[in-house]
Amino acid sequence: AGSQYARVPLDAEDGSDYKHEPLRPQVSFGRDAASPGHYVLDPNCWQFVDATWFHALTALVISANAVTTFLGASSENAEKTQWLCYPEHAMLCFYLFELTARICAFRRAYFCGTPLMAAWNVLDIVVVVAGVFDQWISPGLNLPSDGPERTVLRMLRLLRLLRVLKIVRVFLESDLSWAETPAFQSFIGFVIVANSIVMGFEIDLPWSG
């Protein structure tokens, strides 16, 4: 499972020694608690939800869902974007699987953790339930074209936009310690230098773009 830590100097004068403090409440499987608010759970078959690869997969699905939502909202011809319903149904199935897996993995800690953790979990449930009602239940209800039911349905569709906030949670819970490695820092430095060179050519050379 990934975690993020802040480097806090033990000696305020020179800051040569550091201790690592968690930036968020930690949840781990089968390991000793490292700090107050660190939840240690028994290992189970659902603990993959706290793995880095699963966080990356979730971020990919959320990004793809944001693209399909934008395409559907920006298109004036509904028939041309009718095919978007298939990937959206598939992604809703993934959200249901993710929600079920997280509840099975974290169990009581899913609902009884810290206030921040509980707030994210409630948001997940609200967004998934709204998506299920909007995409799977409401089409079979034959709601009238005007009325309070349609207003509620439009509000539920707006809640689907909150799925994008899930990607914020993915980054908060992912292990981003690799961003502090010398290799990644060197790569970022190379990108900055290359970008500076390209910008210099754009200024000095005639360019029709």
Side-chain angles (χ1 to χ4, degrees):
S3 61
Q4 300 180 41
Y5 293 88
R7 300 179 69 201
V8 180
L10 294 175
D11 189 349
E13 294 182 357
D14 57 8
S16 57
D17 296 328
Y18 292 88
K19 65 178 179 178
H20 289 79
E21 293 290 344
L23 294 176
R24 65 175 177 87
Q26 302 295 298
V27 177
S28 58
F29 296 88
R31 295 191 296 274
D32 295 333
S35 63
H38 186 113
Y39 297 91
V40 181
L41 307 175
D42 294 331
N44 56 70
C45 62
W46 300 99
Q47 67 187 54
F48 62 84
V49 298
D50 207 34
T52 301
W53 67 266
F54 190 78
H55 288 308
L57 177 61
T58 303
L60 180 63
V61 172
I62 296 171
S63 301
N65 196 183
V67 172
T68 58
T69 301
F70 173 77
L71 292 176
S74 60
S75 177
E76 297 180 356
N77 192 338
E79 295 182 356
K80 291 184 178 180
T81 57
Q82 189 174 4
W83 61 273
L84 291 176
C85 67
Y86 300 107
E88 287 188 348
H89 288 323
M91 286 181 281
L92 181 57
C93 289
F94 176 83
Y95 291 141
L96 275 173
F97 170 77
E98 181 210 8
L99 179 63
T100 303
R102 292 181 67 88
I103 293 175
C104 293
F106 299 136
R107 299 169 187 172
R108 190 171 67 90
Y110 187 86
F111 299 100
C112 303
T114 63
L116 179 61
M117 184 187 299
W120 278 113
N121 294 337
V122 170
L123 177 63
D124 281 349
I125 294 174
V126 170
V127 170
V128 172
V129 171
V132 169
F133 185 85
D134 179 32
Q135 294 180 222
W136 294 347
I137 298 178
S138 63
L141 296 180
N142 295 323
L143 298 177
S145 58
D146 54 348
E149 298 86 357
R150 283 292 175 181
T151 303
V152 174
L153 184 59
R154 294 189 188 99
M155 294 177 62
L156 290 176
R157 288 177 178 172
L158 289 176
L159 286 176
R160 293 170 60 182
L161 298 176
L162 295 179
R163 292 176 182 174
V164 180
L165 293 179
K166 288 169 62 68
I167 202 169
V168 177
R169 178 178 187 168
V170 170
F171 282 108
L172 288 176
E173 297 186 350
S174 298
D175 183 8
L176 301 179
S177 59
W178 51 267
E180 299 180 358
T181 60
F184 183 78
Q185 297 294 333
S186 300
F187 171 74
I188 294 298
F190 172 78
V191 171
I192 294 174
V193 172
N195 188 39
S196 300
I197 294 174
V198 172
M199 291 177 64
F201 281 123
E202 291 178 351
I203 294 174
D204 296 337
L205 298 178
W207 185 54
S208 59

